[in-house]
């Protein structure tokens, strides 16, 4: 629900809209940059895109406007109970 905003009673967010808006803003202004860290959400969004949009995203990555940082499946935080969980998360995402 975090991805598509379907549970607004819990948290008002919509990663799908966020990524679409960010890519549109990057395409409109080459001076802008954005860093993405959660591959699970990016993968979901990317798989919904047309081939044309995928090519544009690849161009943004190639130009350095869109950076893939960390590349974990999701962003771990201090709540991760075991160090091995952090490593596994990173390996799965990459």
């Amino acid at each position: 629900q975090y991805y598509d905003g379907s549970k607004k009673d819990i948290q008002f967010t919509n990663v799908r809209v966020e990524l679409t808006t960010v890519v549109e803003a990057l395409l409109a202004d080459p001076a802008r940059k954005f860093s993405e860290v959660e591959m699970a959400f990016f993968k979901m969004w990317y798989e919904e895109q047309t081939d044309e949009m995928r090519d544009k995203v690849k161009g943004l990555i190639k130009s350095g406007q869109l950076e893939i940082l960390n590349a974990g499946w999701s962003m771990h935080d201090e709540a991760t109970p075991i160090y091995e969980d952090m490593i596994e998360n990173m390996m799965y995402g990459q």
Side-chain angles (χ1 to χ4, degrees):
Q1 296 98 357
Y2 190 78
Y3 173 71
D4 63 13
S6 61
K7 285 286 193 175
K8 290 179 180 45
D9 58 319
I10 297 173
Q11 181 169 352
F12 186 76
T13 189
N14 188 325
V15 176
R16 176 189 287 139
V17 170
E18 173 197 323
L19 288 172
T20 300
T21 303
V22 163
V23 169
E24 289 172 355
L26 293 174
L27 291 169
D29 184 353
R32 290 182 172 151
K33 291 187 175 198
F34 184 79
S35 300
E36 178 63 34
V37 296
E38 294 183 329
M39 293 300 92
F41 293 133
F42 187 79
K43 179 183 182 290
M44 292 168 70
W45 179 84
Y46 188 79
E47 289 178 344
E48 295 176 351
Q49 304 310 303
T50 63
D51 288 340
E52 179 183 359
M53 179 58 80
R54 289 180 186 182
D55 288 341
K56 289 178 182 180
V57 169
K58 290 175 189 176
L60 292 171
I61 292 171
K62 192 172 186 177
S63 73
Q65 276 187 272
L66 177 59
E67 294 182 294
I68 305 296
L69 303 178
N70 185 348
W73 192 242
S74 62
M75 180 56 100
H76 61 270
D77 58 19
E78 299 82 24
T80 304
I82 304 170
Y83 186 67
E84 287 82 8
D85 290 342
M86 293 168 59
I87 295 170
E88 185 175 312
N89 178 42
M90 294 299 297
M91 289 172 48
Y92 188 74
Q94 293 179 9

